[in-house]
Amino acid sequence: SQKIEQNSEALNIQEGKTATLTCNYTNYSPAYLQWYRQDPGRGPVFLLLIRENEKEKRKERLKVTFDTTLKQSLFHITASQPADSATYLCALRSNTDKLIFGTGTRLQVFP
Amino acid sequence: KAGVTQTPRYLIKTRGQQVTLSCSPISGHRSVSWYQQTPGQGLQFLFEYFSETQRNKGNFPGRFSGRQFSNSRSEMNVSTLELGDSALYLCASRGTTNEKLFFGSGTQLSVL
């Protein structure tokens, strides 16, 4: 069956360090993968989209990689700040054209 | 440009009742998707509408239905509410040539 897996355990890191979040998928062949940020009680907010022919994409302190062989995407936040604390979701389009989300990883950045 | 607007923000209903949630997409967006979010299951796809037609549907019972109007506004309806329907219901819109979704703040539904 098709699955998108993100680490369900919270990731706790110190301010200034690099946070790395993982998204693994099985039985998908996505043309692209997206990352969203969600704060409590709010809807997700789009951050980055990476296509299958792109190995890496950057936006300010954010970096995303996409390995279609490993079926994995890594999401990095460099020089993390307490304001980066949120839940981060990966999403990809299923074979039946639905945009499916992982369960998300909660990131907590401590001062 | 105004964002995606969902109403109401909070709703409390009792088992057996029915509920209608409303979503106004970003101006010019013709695609509207609905998701249910619960702590245990994460974001679950309900359905997607484009130009008043349902394009796709998730694995939810027939009690969950939706529609889209000619102005792209969308409503979803849940009939015969169950306790397990308590969740944050999120609506998202996207442009025709854009893959990214713009979400509303959601409607928090509590079924007692």
Side-chain angles (χ1 to χ4, degrees):
Chain A
S1 64
Q2 295 180 319
K3 267 198 289 190
I4 306 173
E5 292 179 322
Q6 296 185 256
N7 194 338
S8 57
E9 290 181 19
L11 178 63
N12 299 313
I13 64 166
Q14 194 172 21
E15 183 176 10
K17 302 289 187 187
T18 296
T20 298
L21 287 70
T22 305
C23 175
N24 294 298
Y25 59 92
T26 53
N27 295 324
Y28 285 101
S29 299
Y32 60 84
L33 189 144
Q34 302 181 36
W35 284 89
Y36 289 78
R37 168 188 171 139
Q38 187 175 23
D39 292 285
R42 313 295 293 181
V45 174
F46 172 82
L47 294 174
L48 281 167
L49 180 151
I50 185 165
R51 301 191 183 279
E52 59 178 341
N53 60 349
E54 297 174 313
K55 294 295 182 194
E56 181 180 297
K57 199 131 184 208
R58 292 175 185 260
K59 179 183 172 183
E60 297 170 356
R61 294 183 295 111
L62 309 180
K63 184 179 89 171
V64 172
T65 62
F66 192 13
D67 190 324
T68 55
T69 303
L70 291 178
K71 295 188 181 298
Q72 181 182 78
S73 176
L74 298 178
F75 178 82
H76 308 271
I77 305 176
T78 58
S80 58
Q81 304 165 1
D84 295 326
S85 299
T87 295
Y88 292 86
L89 304 152
C90 66
L92 50 81
R93 202 158 282 277
S94 73
N95 299 344
T96 51
D97 205 31
K98 303 167 192 172
L99 191 66
I100 306 298
F101 285 80
T103 50
T105 299
R106 191 161 61 89
L107 172 68
Q108 192 80 34
V109 181
F110 292 98
Chain B
K1 211 181 214 184
V4 176
T5 304
Q6 289 188 249
T7 56
R9 186 73 177 94
Y10 300 96
L11 208 46
I12 299 175
K13 291 285 188 178
T14 55
R15 276 183 303 173
Q17 287 188 307
Q18 68 96 28
V19 68
T20 299
L21 312 182
S22 181
C23 172
S24 292
I26 289 173
S27 176
H29 285 189
R30 292 159 64 188
S31 168
V32 173
S33 298
W34 288 89
Y35 289 84
Q36 180 196 67
Q37 187 173 35
T38 56
Q41 297 294 317
L43 271 161
Q44 299 289 307
F45 175 82
L46 279 157
F47 22 67
E48 180 184 9
Y49 287 87
F50 181 83
S51 292
E52 301 179 69
T53 301
Q54 189 179 86
R55 283 187 63 179
N56 229 322
K57 192 177 187 313
N59 298 322
F60 279 82
R63 301 184 296 108
F64 291 81
S65 62
R67 59 179 176 166
Q68 187 180 33
F69 302 96
S70 58
N71 61 358
S72 293
R73 191 177 70 85
S74 179
E75 288 181 348
M76 69 162 279
N77 185 278
V78 189
S79 62
T80 321
L81 284 166
E82 300 176 0
L83 295 178
D85 296 334
S86 295
L88 180 67
Y89 289 87
L90 290 159
C91 162
S93 72
R94 68 183 173 105
T96 311
T97 57
N98 204 326
E99 289 296 341
K100 68 182 184 184
L101 295 185
F102 294 84
F103 281 87
S105 293
T107 294
Q108 184 67 55
L109 172 65
S110 297
V111 182
L112 308 178

